Amino acid sequence: MTSGTQSVKEHSWIDPYEKIWIIVSITVLVLMVAALTIASIAFGIQVPVPEKRVDPRVVTESGPFSEPGLRDLGGGKYEAYIVGQTWNWSPKEIRVPVGSTVTFFITSKDVQHGFMLWNTNLNIMTIPGQVSRVTITFEETGEYPFVCNEYCGIGHHTMAGKVIVEGR
Ligand code: CUA
């Protein structure tokens, strides 16, 4: 016959190794949440935001994607509308002065592409039916090539272009 107190004791006993791993797991979790919070608040690091849903079949017929390219909002702020379509980016070239803040709106007209802008942290999937938004500030002059980094068929390697950041 086992008494109630005995079984409670058996259940509340934790192996020392298990206890260590519980502490390690919770510590890692707390550190990761802290790192995420610091990255987003202190350093302003953002994940790509799905801006909105569109119909990929008609996305270039009207609205901002009917004329892909740069919009000057004034005060060093720009918007860039970019469309991926096998096997091209439209536009292939964007020019802005150094110090500009550019908000990219990117979508695909057909299959899934990947838009990666060198020397920045802009690296997103380009999904038909979805507009992705990422904001980048260009602090240094130079050429920032962009490529498709999601295999999209035989012409995949030709999907490239560049952002040119010019001196003032
Ligand atoms: Cu588009 Cu690879």
Side-chain angles (χ1 to χ4, degrees):
M1 218 167 46
T2 342
S3 78
T5 39
Q6 245 177 339
S7 64
V8 166
K9 253 188 176 170
E10 276 166 20
H11 283 289
S12 59
W13 184 82
I14 302 174
D15 185 273
Y17 285 113
E18 200 176 344
K19 203 178 253 177
I20 289 169
W21 282 113
I22 289 173
I23 292 169
V24 167
S25 312
I26 291 173
T27 308
V28 167
L29 214 65
V30 168
L31 285 176
M32 284 173 131
V33 169
L36 262 176
T37 309
I38 292 167
S40 63
I41 294 173
F43 296 107
I45 294 172
Q46 42 169 351
V47 292
V49 182
E51 175 73 3
K52 61 173 180 175
R53 305 269 168 205
V54 288
D55 185 342
R57 290 165 300 181
V58 296
V59 70
T60 54
E61 283 174 17
S62 62
F65 291 102
S66 62
E67 280 178 61
L70 201 65
R71 313 278 193 275
D72 189 347
L73 305 182
K77 294 205 185 317
Y78 295 85
E79 284 180 351
Y81 290 87
I82 296 177
V83 179
Q85 186 174 10
T86 45
W87 292 282
N88 257 309
W89 293 114
S90 181
K92 286 180 102 58
E93 193 181 295
I94 289 170
R95 278 174 192 270
V96 290
V98 69
S100 300
T101 299
V102 183
T103 300
F104 290 85
F105 296 87
I106 310 172
T107 193
S108 166
K109 213 175 142 43
D110 41 33
V111 298
Q112 190 168 304
H113 301 281
F115 188 92
M116 181 185 165
L117 186 61
W118 285 26
N119 304 323
T120 69
N121 63 356
L122 201 178
N123 183 1
I124 57 167
M125 277 185 173
T126 311
I127 301 161
Q130 183 178 298
V131 178
S132 299
R133 172 167 58 92
V134 181
T135 301
I136 300 285
T137 299
F138 293 95
E139 307 281 13
E140 285 173 31
T141 56
E143 289 193 1
Y144 295 69
F146 54 81
V147 295
C148 179
N149 64 358
E150 193 85 28
Y151 184 70
C152 55
I154 195 139
H156 162 71
H157 63 286
T158 65
M159 281 188 79
K162 58 190 166 188
V163 175
I164 300 168
V165 179
E166 298 170 320
R168 283 182 186 279

